Amino acid sequence: MKNLALKIENLGKKYFIGQGPENNGYITLREKIYRSTSSFFKNVSNVFKGNPIIVGNKIEEFWALKNINFEIKEGEVVGIIGHNGSGKSTLLKLLSRITTPTTGKINLYGRAASLLEVGTGFHPELTGRENIYLNGSILGESMKEINKKFDAIVDFAGVEKFLDTPVKRYSSGMYVRLAFAIPAHLEPDILIIDEVLAVGDMDFQKKCIEKMESSTKEGRTVLFVSHNLPLVSTFCKKSILLERGKKIKEGITSEVLSFYQK
């Protein structure tokens, strides 16, 4: 029986939405300056007191995620699907420790790496070579292990000619190729991928899928968010459907996609 790679219990994320007075959309320059100044000192006070920061005169709660529960086993490839605003990106940010949950617990059994958006984790002033070592260190790899995988990472990303160029000069496609190649070859236990692969061309997407499939055969776990339903259907045996911050359905991908499309 496979061990757990990830367990989510009663996970929720709440935000506060501020609303200002209507006033027909017009305010004087003096009033704007006054509001900005008073709002700044009020927000500073709220930070020290641990209160929510209020923008405007009214505040309301918004649950981006609420009461989310699921388990994923080692070696599973799980698709996360849903309309825009369903909570997919919020879920991945919580799993990646970019933000903290309001309620519930996240149990990760192993080392996780995330690919959430173009250039995440890269330092723009550093070269491709330097960012490989930087990201490898963040993933907990030793210099010896990074050196061992270095050539494979560069070859997969296809950025050899630009290896000593600052990544701020890279195209979005080059960013994505290198950003994917690093965690894919340094082999974290759990790989979390957002829609970012859509930036790459078809050949690169095919390479990514083949690499992820080989990783799962070695016991690694993949969470994959995409609006490309045929890709989810091909790559993911299990899927989770989110809608307005709640888990609507979980199970075999074909059944979840059929429910979603209806």
Side-chain angles (χ1 to χ4, degrees):
M1 185 175 180
K2 293 183 179 179
N3 296 324
L4 281 179
L6 169 65
K7 184 175 182 180
I8 302 299
E9 299 178 88
N10 194 36
L11 187 65
K13 180 63 179 179
K14 178 173 65 175
Y15 293 101
F16 294 94
I17 302 175
Q19 298 177 344
E22 306 242 337
N23 229 14
N24 295 322
Y26 297 100
I27 59 172
T28 64
L29 177 61
R30 177 181 295 178
E31 186 177 1
K32 187 173 181 64
I33 293 171
Y34 170 76
R35 285 186 192 177
S36 299
T37 305
S38 61
S39 176
F40 171 77
F41 287 108
K42 187 174 183 180
N43 287 343
V44 170
S45 175
N46 282 331
V47 167
F48 283 107
K49 293 178 181 178
N51 297 328
I53 295 177
I54 302 174
V55 180
N57 294 343
K58 299 179 182 178
I59 186 169
E60 63 178 272
E61 296 180 353
F62 170 72
W63 285 90
L65 287 174
K66 197 167 188 179
N67 299 327
I68 303 295
N69 294 275
F70 62 83
E71 296 179 354
I72 297 175
K73 292 184 172 62
E74 289 180 351
E76 285 190 318
V77 182
V78 180
I80 309 291
I81 62 173
H83 296 293
N84 289 332
S86 62
K88 303 186 302 298
S89 294
T90 300
L91 175 61
L92 296 197
K93 287 177 181 178
L94 289 170
L95 295 177
S96 305
R97 313 294 192 189
I98 293 174
T99 186
T100 56
T102 307
T103 64
K105 292 194 302 183
I106 299 173
N107 299 301
L108 293 170
Y109 303 100
R111 189 182 54 180
S114 305
L115 183 54
L116 302 186
E117 58 187 55
V118 177
T120 300
F122 278 10
H123 192 298
E125 301 295 335
L126 299 181
T127 65
R129 183 189 305 274
E130 291 166 333
N131 271 293
I132 290 174
Y133 283 101
L134 174 63
N135 278 259
S137 299
I138 292 172
L139 287 172
E141 296 287 357
S142 65
M143 185 72 72
K144 181 179 179 181
E145 189 64 26
I146 299 171
N147 287 334
K148 183 179 175 181
K149 302 288 179 65
F150 187 88
D151 289 342
I153 292 170
V154 174
D155 181 63
F156 188 94
V159 295
E160 185 175 2
K161 291 182 180 179
F162 307 94
L163 200 54
D164 295 305
T165 300
V167 296
K168 67 181 181 180
R169 305 188 191 282
Y170 283 18
S171 67
S172 59
M174 292 166 64
Y175 251 113
V176 169
R177 293 199 299 271
L178 186 58
F180 180 87
I182 296 170
H185 285 81
L186 295 178
E187 301 172 346
D189 301 301
I190 305 167
L191 186 57
I192 302 168
I193 304 173
D194 204 344
E195 193 70 68
V196 66
L197 290 185
V199 177
D201 57 35
M202 292 299 294
D203 288 339
F204 180 69
Q205 287 184 27
K206 184 179 178 182
K207 282 176 64 176
C208 291
I209 292 170
E210 290 172 352
K211 182 63 179 175
M212 288 188 287
E213 286 176 338
S214 67
S215 294
T216 57
K217 289 176 182 177
E218 297 171 1
R220 294 179 185 87
T221 306
V222 177
L223 268 72
F224 184 61
V225 166
S226 179
H227 288 288
N228 187 333
L229 300 186
L231 183 59
V232 173
S233 178
T234 301
F235 184 50
C236 308
K237 292 183 179 180
K238 175 181 176 181
S239 289
I240 295 170
L241 172 62
L242 298 179
E243 183 64 36
R244 297 183 182 180
K246 296 182 179 180
K247 187 183 77 173
I248 301 299
K249 192 170 181 62
E250 174 184 1
I252 298 170
T253 294
S254 59
E255 296 176 358
V256 175
L257 290 182
S258 177
F259 181 87
Y260 177 49
Q261 290 169 328
K262 289 177 182 179

